[in-house]
Amino acid sequence: ISHFSRSKRLMVDVKKEELKSGSKYNRKALEDVMKRRYIISQSFQLYAGIGGLYDYGPVGCALKANVEALWRNHYVLEEEMLEFDGTCLTPACVLKASGHVDKFADLMVKDTKTGTCYRADKYLAEFLNKILEKKKKLKPEEIKEYSSVIEKVDSYTKEELTALYKKYEVKSEQGNPLSDPTEFNLIFETQIGPQGGSRGFLRPETAQGIFVNFKKLLEYNNGRMPFAAAQTGLGFRNEISPRSGLLRVREFAMAEIEHFLDPLNKMHNKFYQVAEIKVPLLSAAAQAMDTPVVARDIPLKDAVGKEIIKNPTLAYYMARTFLFLQSCGIPESAIRFRQHMKNEMAHYSQECWDAEVECSYGWTEVAGHADRGCYDLTCHAKGANADLSAARL
């Protein structure tokens, strides 16, 4: 009851600040209230704090526990998934086999005078947003161009970002020149054991623990396919420049599901339950247009039939996520599913749709839905010289 009362007072405080500012999303007001009421706090603040690390206070812990319980009920219990809990510390051989050691990277630019580093795509968007705030000095075509670049900023290649930085003459926050974008691996490395002979990493995602235990999970399920395994836990990413509050941090809670099926039969036996749901879709084709439009009137059965979404199982989980986000209190109008462009597809992915929500940082990814094919199991079967196949019964 006391947590509920504090949460209610929190929302009242935020609403008051929103009315004062007149803005749709008053991030500063919310963050101020969250810190003042100790919902969250920068970690190790007594020692000046560390960027990208946050602690949760009592109400923050209660809110986080509620969301995790809602997720577990919505997915694990309702879908009868196999629950799994793996370690955060991962041997290097596992992430080498999965491709993360070589390919898990973001593009970075560096202030050539001070050495300050920025994530290339995010900093370009911030730079152009600051220009857009001065709309009186811009022509309509310039506003349209900048807005289009910001919308597509996650999909640009290294070469495209380099060209855009030169075109717009992007400078650092201190007005200094910036280096060309270069790759920076996001995985935290460590040594396992006192002799330092065993290289390890803090896991950047929770999926690999599930993949290397595929055979045990399959045996537990009496060899039956399809089945899904789920786990919640911490992930770690050495973010280049964590500047977005709780959205881009270096240690964070994750909830992940891996659904295993016959690659020749990607139907889901409960797809009929969601076939008529109209999930808001921003396809790759729509993103290539001058003015991308989110399709909000296509039932999932038609999206699959027209191969906008390539298979029913992927569509089923997109629908489940759509319902889950609404159950968390996010309005339908602030949710969309954005398809990855070909040049931004992860190394393991055949198709990917990000669930994005509109917030004070713009449209922000909160969940990824990827058809990974047999990539991970094939890599680990080869890396460990093991049989990770399943028989068709």
Side-chain angles (χ1 to χ4, degrees):
I1 294 173
S2 62
H3 283 326
F4 176 78
S5 299
R6 290 191 185 101
S7 298
K8 187 175 181 180
R9 289 199 299 271
L10 164 66
M11 297 313 298
V12 170
D13 287 350
V14 172
K15 281 295 181 184
K16 286 179 180 177
E17 293 296 329
E18 285 179 350
L19 290 172
K20 287 180 184 177
S21 68
S23 63
K24 184 177 182 181
Y25 299 109
N26 193 332
R27 180 168 70 235
K28 185 179 184 304
L30 177 60
E31 290 178 347
D32 287 347
V33 171
M34 289 177 71
K35 291 173 182 176
R36 191 170 67 246
R37 292 192 176 277
Y38 193 30
I39 311 295
I40 61 169
S41 176
Q42 188 175 24
S43 299
F44 312 109
Q45 201 165 26
L46 188 65
Y47 291 91
I50 297 292
L53 296 176
Y54 285 89
D55 298 329
Y56 292 89
V59 176
C61 287
L63 291 170
K64 180 172 175 286
N66 285 346
V67 173
E68 290 174 348
L70 185 63
W71 185 89
R72 189 169 181 270
N73 287 330
H74 185 85
Y75 291 106
V76 181
L77 300 182
E78 189 169 333
E79 301 289 342
E80 297 182 333
M81 295 178 175
L82 305 182
E83 203 158 8
F84 172 82
D85 188 6
T87 65
C88 296
L89 191 58
T90 307
C93 56
V94 174
L95 294 178
K96 180 68 176 176
S98 68
H100 286 79
V101 172
D102 299 320
K103 300 176 182 178
F104 199 76
D106 279 337
L107 292 171
M108 174 183 74
V109 291
K110 182 185 290 188
D111 185 317
T112 57
K113 292 186 178 181
T114 68
T116 303
C117 297
Y118 305 93
R119 180 168 155 176
D121 55 349
K122 302 299 183 184
Y123 187 72
L124 176 61
E126 290 176 15
F127 183 84
L128 295 179
N129 268 318
K130 289 177 182 177
I131 296 176
L132 283 175
E133 290 173 2
K134 306 170 184 177
K135 288 185 179 179
K136 292 181 180 179
K137 300 180 181 179
L138 295 175
K139 299 176 183 178
E141 56 268 26
E142 290 177 320
I143 295 174
K144 184 178 179 181
E145 178 184 339
Y146 294 160
S147 299
S148 176
V149 171
I150 293 169
E151 179 73 24
K152 300 175 184 177
V153 75
D154 291 336
S155 65
Y156 291 125
T157 63
K158 179 180 178 179
E159 293 72 25
E160 289 170 332
L161 279 174
T162 300
L164 288 168
Y165 266 76
K166 291 178 178 178
K167 177 180 179 179
Y168 298 124
E169 299 180 345
V170 183
K171 305 294 183 184
S172 73
E173 291 175 321
Q174 287 72 37
N176 298 325
L178 291 166
S179 68
D180 288 343
T182 57
E183 291 185 348
F184 174 76
N185 195 288
L186 301 176
I187 312 179
F188 282 105
E189 185 173 351
T190 187
Q191 294 292 334
I192 302 174
Q195 295 178 328
S198 183
R199 186 180 175 211
F201 297 98
L202 295 178
R203 63 185 182 190
E205 64 173 24
T206 53
Q208 298 309 316
I210 295 176
F211 291 128
V212 298
N213 280 280
F214 167 74
K215 206 69 175 180
K216 293 178 181 178
L217 291 165
L218 179 64
E219 289 173 1
Y220 180 86
N221 205 45
N222 295 319
R224 292 172 297 156
M225 293 272 283
F227 71 88
Q231 76 166 317
T232 58
L234 292 175
F236 305 84
R237 297 181 185 179
N238 195 10
E239 290 286 349
I240 296 165
S241 180
R243 303 151 64 91
S244 304
L246 294 177
L247 286 182
R248 214 159 81 226
V249 292
R250 290 172 168 141
E251 177 182 322
F252 52 95
M254 304 179 73
E256 192 147 10
I257 297 164
E258 297 302 332
H259 184 98
F260 298 97
L261 45 64
D262 185 336
L264 300 181
N265 179 14
K266 295 189 177 182
M267 178 55 71
H268 195 286
N269 63 357
K270 292 170 67 176
F271 178 71
Y272 71 93
Q273 296 180 2
V274 302
E276 298 296 335
I277 294 178
K278 298 175 181 178
V279 172
L281 302 174
L282 180 60
S283 67
Q287 292 172 72
M289 299 177 181
D290 290 337
T291 307
V293 177
V294 177
R296 295 184 176 272
D297 58 352
I298 303 176
L300 276 177
K301 64 178 182 181
D302 294 340
V304 172
K306 296 175 182 178
E307 295 192 346
I308 299 172
I309 304 172
K310 296 299 188 294
N311 72 74
T313 293
L314 192 63
Y316 176 78
Y317 279 104
M318 289 168 65
R320 294 291 292 150
T321 297
F322 185 48
L323 297 174
F324 172 74
L325 293 175
Q326 290 180 78
S327 71
C328 288
I330 301 171
E332 182 178 334
S333 60
I335 303 171
R336 73 181 187 188
F337 287 77
R338 187 184 70 83
Q339 187 178 27
H340 280 206
M341 308 286 280
K342 286 185 178 180
N343 58 3
E344 64 172 319
M345 202 80 76
H347 64 275
Y348 51 74
S349 185
Q350 296 180 358
E351 181 182 10
C352 188
W353 291 80
D354 285 343
E356 298 182 336
V357 299
E358 187 187 27
C359 64
S360 60
Y361 289 98
W363 286 98
T364 302
E365 176 198 352
V366 295
H369 303 75
D371 181 348
R372 301 172 78 123
C374 298
Y375 174 85
D376 299 275
L377 294 181
T378 301
C379 287
H380 289 305
K382 181 179 179 182
N385 192 26
D387 177 18
L388 295 180
S389 62
R392 290 190 178 94
L393 301 178

